[in-house]
Amino acid sequence: MPTGQVYNPGQDEELVTELTACKAKCLRYNQLPSGAEKKELLKEILGQSGENCHIEPNFWCDYGWNIKVGDNFYANHNLTVLDAGGVTFGDNVFIGPDCSFYTSGHPLDAARRNTGLEYAYPITVGNNVWIGGGVRVVPGVTIGDNSVIGAGSVVVKDVPANSVAAGNPCRVIREITEADKNSDLNWKK
């Protein structure tokens, strides 16, 4: 799994056990009120978390230990992270509601797919990234530092640093420039 090779998670007892345990922790996390216990449980779920990490419920992931989160991380409601391939979020990342990060995929050939095989490629989100609501990120994608991903985008290719990108499939619309420091917050300009 960690090497990007094809594997069958349903036939690996260790993975099934880890997946089941993580889902139970996520369920508990989603039911807890805000407070110290909830913060501690999130640290237990995630493989690495920086200072000021907050994820609104509902939050679901597969293993948890394969997620690294930097400082000042905020994710709005309904974050899903299928982290078999590993997901790294940098510092100062803001994620809108209903976003998903999928590191796992399946063979195109139906016969192989039907045996339960899958692969997993890492996703990396740089520092100072804002991801709008309803975004989907697929296996193997890197989103560069200081970028903004528009709501509803499906990110299927890498996004370079300092970019505004949006759409399905997501594409770079423009670079973020010095003029944006004084803008009226409208990313379409």
Side-chain angles (χ1 to χ4, degrees):
M1 183 175 82
T3 64
Q5 301 293 316
V6 175
Y7 65 99
N8 189 328
Q11 293 184 2
D12 184 312
E13 285 186 39
E14 184 178 345
L15 290 179
V16 170
T17 299
E18 289 178 7
L19 180 77
T20 303
C22 186
K23 299 295 184 190
K25 289 178 187 177
C26 288
L27 178 62
R28 185 162 175 256
Y29 177 83
N30 293 329
Q31 295 173 340
L32 284 172
S34 294
E37 183 180 2
K38 188 169 192 147
K39 287 181 181 183
E40 286 304 312
L41 182 56
L42 184 58
K43 286 181 181 179
E44 186 179 318
I45 293 170
L46 300 175
Q48 178 181 324
S49 62
E51 296 294 319
N52 302 317
C53 176
H54 184 81
I55 301 175
E56 297 287 352
N58 285 326
F59 165 54
W60 295 100
C61 61
D62 281 343
Y63 303 101
W65 53 261
N66 223 358
I67 301 171
K68 296 177 183 171
V69 175
D71 294 336
N72 304 315
F73 177 87
Y74 176 82
N76 214 316
H77 296 282
N78 300 320
L79 174 66
T80 300
V81 182
L82 305 184
D83 59 308
V87 180
T88 301
F89 297 100
D91 295 335
N92 306 306
V93 172
F94 299 97
I95 299 175
D98 301 315
C99 288
S100 299
F101 297 81
Y102 310 133
T103 67
S104 299
H106 303 278
L108 295 177
D109 175 68
R112 291 183 74 212
R113 184 173 57 245
N114 291 342
T115 66
L117 293 176
E118 65 181 50
Y119 60 86
Y121 301 144
I123 293 173
T124 303
V125 177
N127 297 315
N128 308 307
V129 173
W130 172 28
I131 296 177
V135 169
R136 305 293 182 257
V137 181
V138 302
V141 166
T142 295
I143 299 172
D145 292 346
N146 309 311
S147 291
V148 175
I149 307 297
S153 296
V154 178
V155 187
V156 298
K157 295 191 301 188
D158 291 353
V159 175
N162 304 304
S163 298
V164 174
N168 182 4
C170 187
R171 64 179 178 78
V172 174
I173 295 170
R174 68 177 182 86
E175 284 187 42
I176 296 173
T177 67
E178 283 294 313
D180 289 308
K181 290 182 180 179
N182 299 312
S183 76
D184 65 357
L185 307 177
N186 186 347
W187 63 270
K188 292 180 182 179
K189 289 186 177 183

